[in-house]
Amino acid sequence: LLMASPLAAQEHVENQHADDAKMAWWREAKFGMFVHWGVYSATGGEFRGKMPTNSAEWMMNKAQIPIADYKVENVDKFNPTQFNAKTFVGLAKEAGMKYLVITAKHHDGFAMFHSTSSPYNVVDATPFKRDVMKELAEACQEQGIRFGFYYSQCQDWHHPGGMGNGWDKTIKRVSFDEYVQEKAAPEIKQLLTEYGPIAIFWWDTPRDMSKEAFDSLHSSTNLQPGIITNDRLGKEYRGDHKTFERHIPRKGPVGADWEVCMPISGSWGYKKSDRDFKSIETLIRNLVDIASKGGNYLLNVSPTGEGTLLPQATERLKAMGQWMKVNSESIYGSTASPFGKLDWGRCTKKEFANGSTLYLHVFDWPKDGKLLVPGLNNKVEQAYLMDGWQALETSSADAGVTVSLPAEAPDKIASVVVVKVHGKLD
Ligand code: FHN
């Protein structure tokens, strides 16, 4: 980065430090819960018995449902009487997740909070009549989970100025700027001033817009000092972290904070008969793989029309929590691996005053029990299994350090065993 002047250099450093202070908890957290929940959940993505799309939250668009019919078929049926915010947040906590981001308003334009800018919301327009965002915000605060909102700032298939609804000919169009001034900006302001401390604001599907509209949306987030935003407000907008969706990059972007968001199954919103649940092993290996590259994992769950999670999701969250109970030290606050590709698994790292610690996540247990770690010749002071803290023998040679493992892998949850190695490793 070519600095125009020493002052610019100083400013750049200060900005970096400001960012470092703001991002510290996020970089430590590594693992969060994403939640897609809306009136589309009331029918599991189905419209009059047909499933129009793979991801349920797009049902109104893919089935080209007029606003009036979506009201009858979905809004009027949304009554998640089994929803319990405390239980729900408790599941995220049990899984080892440190933050929760939920769809306050998705593309269908329906507010899952008591919007004072639009009666098209969960309190005023459904039989449920409860502000689920308020209940979740309070439960997160009680349980020490950082809370954040997802907001679809451009697509709004209900407001006449929102983008994305090209099928409902009853809409009397107004300008996008009018939609921003009338609905989006006031709703964002309300979310950031009436729901307690908001740690994250998660924009989605950015589209070209006027400078006025952009400034109005962007300035709203100043209402929560220290709030972290993703990069999906506009084409040139970087926010505080990059967003990867559904896939893990081969290498993490250098010098940037980044997060992979991924549904635990096939659909973001609850979809009836969604059979694409990822295995527990895949979910834990994803978490480890992302951490080993320096990123965060935002894993999405989809509450049903009753307000609960399917057993397949609950089972996976609990199993991830079991693994995190033993191995979370290798994830929270870790940084990227110093190595290139490792044949047997992944590595995360932590620096301490007395040296470094490497966490070797063994995916494929070596048949001869010998785990070769390149380039650590004679630097390893201690090595042990994190599960049970059994000390392990090491030997050094030109190729690196060999850690002698037990014949059988001890971990039964997700076949990801962590070996902790400490020493002056740099
Ligand atoms: O269209 C949305 C989709 O429904 C979902 O919310 C994902 C989550 O990242 N974002 C958009 C697709 O990129």
mmCIF file of all heavy atoms in Angstrom, residues 172-188:
data_model
loop_
_atom_site.group_PDB
_atom_site.id
_atom_site.type_symbol
_atom_site.label_atom_id
_atom_site.label_comp_id
_atom_site.label_asym_id
_atom_site.label_seq_id
_atom_site.Cartn_x
_atom_site.Cartn_y
_atom_site.Cartn_z
ATOM 1 N N LYS A 172 -48.294 -0.817 -7.585
ATOM 2 C CA LYS A 172 -48.143 0.506 -8.210
ATOM 3 C C LYS A 172 -46.751 1.034 -7.845
ATOM 4 O O LYS A 172 -46.528 1.537 -6.744
ATOM 5 C CB LYS A 172 -49.213 1.457 -7.656
ATOM 6 C CG LYS A 172 -50.612 0.929 -7.944
ATOM 7 C CD LYS A 172 -51.632 1.952 -8.239
ATOM 8 C CE LYS A 172 -52.998 1.330 -8.629
ATOM 9 N NZ LYS A 172 -52.987 -0.132 -8.919
ATOM 10 N N ARG A 173 -45.799 0.850 -8.767
ATOM 11 C CA ARG A 173 -44.374 1.070 -8.485
ATOM 12 C C ARG A 173 -44.075 2.484 -8.003
ATOM 13 O O ARG A 173 -44.698 3.456 -8.458
ATOM 14 C CB ARG A 173 -43.517 0.817 -9.735
ATOM 15 C CG ARG A 173 -43.662 -0.531 -10.444
ATOM 16 C CD ARG A 173 -43.181 -1.750 -9.717
ATOM 17 N NE ARG A 173 -41.915 -1.590 -8.991
ATOM 18 C CZ ARG A 173 -41.510 -2.465 -8.063
ATOM 19 N NH1 ARG A 173 -42.270 -3.501 -7.775
ATOM 20 N NH2 ARG A 173 -40.398 -2.319 -7.438
ATOM 21 N N VAL A 174 -43.146 2.593 -7.039
ATOM 22 C CA VAL A 174 -42.545 3.881 -6.670
ATOM 23 C C VAL A 174 -41.029 3.691 -6.760
ATOM 24 O O VAL A 174 -40.554 2.593 -7.028
ATOM 25 C CB VAL A 174 -42.951 4.311 -5.236
ATOM 26 C CG1 VAL A 174 -44.448 4.484 -5.110
ATOM 27 C CG2 VAL A 174 -42.436 3.314 -4.199
ATOM 28 N N SER A 175 -40.269 4.744 -6.505
ATOM 29 C CA SER A 175 -38.808 4.649 -6.693
ATOM 30 C C SER A 175 -38.156 3.854 -5.566
ATOM 31 O O SER A 175 -38.697 3.761 -4.449
ATOM 32 C CB SER A 175 -38.198 6.068 -6.705
ATOM 33 O OG SER A 175 -38.205 6.567 -5.361
ATOM 34 N N PHE A 176 -36.991 3.312 -5.861
ATOM 35 C CA PHE A 176 -36.216 2.581 -4.842
ATOM 36 C C PHE A 176 -35.851 3.531 -3.706
ATOM 37 O O PHE A 176 -35.915 3.175 -2.530
ATOM 38 C CB PHE A 176 -34.949 1.984 -5.478
ATOM 39 C CG PHE A 176 -34.062 1.262 -4.492
ATOM 40 C CD1 PHE A 176 -34.426 -0.001 -4.002
ATOM 41 C CD2 PHE A 176 -32.890 1.846 -4.026
ATOM 42 C CE1 PHE A 176 -33.622 -0.676 -3.089
ATOM 43 C CE2 PHE A 176 -32.073 1.174 -3.099
ATOM 44 C CZ PHE A 176 -32.440 -0.083 -2.623
ATOM 45 N N ASP A 177 -35.489 4.784 -4.082
ATOM 46 C CA ASP A 177 -35.130 5.743 -3.014
ATOM 47 C C ASP A 177 -36.290 5.973 -2.063
ATOM 48 O O ASP A 177 -36.097 6.129 -0.851
ATOM 49 C CB ASP A 177 -34.662 7.076 -3.647
ATOM 50 C CG ASP A 177 -33.257 6.942 -4.234
ATOM 51 O OD1 ASP A 177 -32.920 5.829 -4.712
ATOM 52 O OD2 ASP A 177 -32.486 7.915 -4.198
ATOM 53 N N GLU A 178 -37.503 5.926 -2.607
ATOM 54 C CA GLU A 178 -38.683 6.114 -1.747
ATOM 55 C C GLU A 178 -38.798 4.935 -0.771
ATOM 56 O O GLU A 178 -39.054 5.111 0.420
ATOM 57 C CB GLU A 178 -39.940 6.173 -2.618
ATOM 58 C CG GLU A 178 -41.016 7.077 -2.058
ATOM 59 C CD GLU A 178 -42.065 7.421 -3.123
ATOM 60 O OE1 GLU A 178 -41.691 7.657 -4.285
ATOM 61 O OE2 GLU A 178 -43.249 7.400 -2.748
ATOM 62 N N TYR A 179 -38.542 3.730 -1.278
ATOM 63 C CA TYR A 179 -38.559 2.515 -0.429
ATOM 64 C C TYR A 179 -37.512 2.640 0.671
ATOM 65 O O TYR A 179 -37.779 2.378 1.856
ATOM 66 C CB TYR A 179 -38.298 1.288 -1.306
ATOM 67 C CG TYR A 179 -37.588 0.149 -0.604
ATOM 68 C CD1 TYR A 179 -38.254 -0.653 0.324
ATOM 69 C CD2 TYR A 179 -36.236 -0.108 -0.854
ATOM 70 C CE1 TYR A 179 -37.596 -1.692 0.972
ATOM 71 C CE2 TYR A 179 -35.571 -1.142 -0.194
ATOM 72 C CZ TYR A 179 -36.248 -1.932 0.716
ATOM 73 O OH TYR A 179 -35.585 -2.940 1.371
ATOM 74 N N VAL A 180 -36.328 3.131 0.316
ATOM 75 C CA VAL A 180 -35.258 3.267 1.323
ATOM 76 C C VAL A 180 -35.677 4.270 2.399
ATOM 77 O O VAL A 180 -35.559 4.014 3.604
ATOM 78 C CB VAL A 180 -33.921 3.693 0.667
ATOM 79 C CG1 VAL A 180 -32.899 4.094 1.725
ATOM 80 C CG2 VAL A 180 -33.372 2.564 -0.205
ATOM 81 N N GLN A 181 -36.214 5.416 1.936
ATOM 82 C CA GLN A 181 -36.586 6.451 2.921
ATOM 83 C C GLN A 181 -37.801 6.044 3.769
ATOM 84 O O GLN A 181 -37.847 6.289 4.960
ATOM 85 C CB GLN A 181 -36.889 7.768 2.187
ATOM 86 C CG GLN A 181 -35.683 8.369 1.452
ATOM 87 C CD GLN A 181 -34.386 8.330 2.262
ATOM 88 O OE1 GLN A 181 -34.372 8.582 3.463
ATOM 89 N NE2 GLN A 181 -33.292 7.964 1.619
ATOM 90 N N GLU A 182 -38.757 5.346 3.111
ATOM 91 C CA GLU A 182 -40.007 4.993 3.804
ATOM 92 C C GLU A 182 -39.874 3.764 4.686
ATOM 93 O O GLU A 182 -40.514 3.638 5.717
ATOM 94 C CB GLU A 182 -41.062 4.637 2.746
ATOM 95 C CG GLU A 182 -42.157 5.646 2.553
ATOM 96 C CD GLU A 182 -43.094 5.164 1.440
ATOM 97 O OE1 GLU A 182 -43.393 3.950 1.375
ATOM 98 O OE2 GLU A 182 -43.476 6.019 0.639
ATOM 99 N N LYS A 183 -39.039 2.780 4.231
ATOM 100 C CA LYS A 183 -39.048 1.475 4.928
ATOM 101 C C LYS A 183 -37.651 1.022 5.372
ATOM 102 O O LYS A 183 -37.398 0.848 6.571
ATOM 103 C CB LYS A 183 -39.684 0.412 4.026
ATOM 104 C CG LYS A 183 -39.732 -0.964 4.679
ATOM 105 C CD LYS A 183 -40.469 -1.984 3.830
ATOM 106 C CE LYS A 183 -40.476 -3.353 4.501
ATOM 107 N NZ LYS A 183 -41.190 -4.383 3.713
ATOM 108 N N ALA A 184 -36.751 0.844 4.419
ATOM 109 C CA ALA A 184 -35.473 0.187 4.758
ATOM 110 C C ALA A 184 -34.688 0.992 5.794
ATOM 111 O O ALA A 184 -34.335 0.458 6.862
ATOM 112 C CB ALA A 184 -34.639 -0.029 3.488
ATOM 113 N N ALA A 185 -34.431 2.263 5.539
ATOM 114 C CA ALA A 185 -33.613 3.049 6.493
ATOM 115 C C ALA A 185 -34.297 3.157 7.855
ATOM 116 O O ALA A 185 -33.671 2.884 8.887
ATOM 117 C CB ALA A 185 -33.298 4.432 5.922
ATOM 118 N N PRO A 186 -35.586 3.500 7.921
ATOM 119 C CA PRO A 186 -36.227 3.554 9.246
ATOM 120 C C PRO A 186 -36.253 2.197 9.961
ATOM 121 O O PRO A 186 -36.070 2.124 11.179
ATOM 122 C CB PRO A 186 -37.663 4.006 8.948
ATOM 123 C CG PRO A 186 -37.685 4.511 7.560
ATOM 124 C CD PRO A 186 -36.499 4.002 6.853
ATOM 125 N N GLU A 187 -36.448 1.096 9.210
ATOM 126 C CA GLU A 187 -36.449 -0.228 9.874
ATOM 127 C C GLU A 187 -35.057 -0.554 10.419
ATOM 128 O O GLU A 187 -34.920 -1.087 11.527
ATOM 129 C CB GLU A 187 -36.914 -1.309 8.893
ATOM 130 C CG GLU A 187 -38.414 -1.305 8.655
ATOM 131 C CD GLU A 187 -38.919 -2.588 7.998
ATOM 132 O OE1 GLU A 187 -38.115 -3.296 7.343
ATOM 133 O OE2 GLU A 187 -40.126 -2.876 8.153
ATOM 134 N N ILE A 188 -34.016 -0.225 9.646
ATOM 135 C CA ILE A 188 -32.649 -0.501 10.126
ATOM 136 C C ILE A 188 -32.363 0.344 11.369
ATOM 137 O O ILE A 188 -31.823 -0.148 12.370
ATOM 138 C CB ILE A 188 -31.619 -0.217 9.008
ATOM 139 C CG1 ILE A 188 -31.813 -1.210 7.847
ATOM 140 C CG2 ILE A 188 -30.195 -0.298 9.550
ATOM 141 C CD1 ILE A 188 -31.052 -0.857 6.579
#
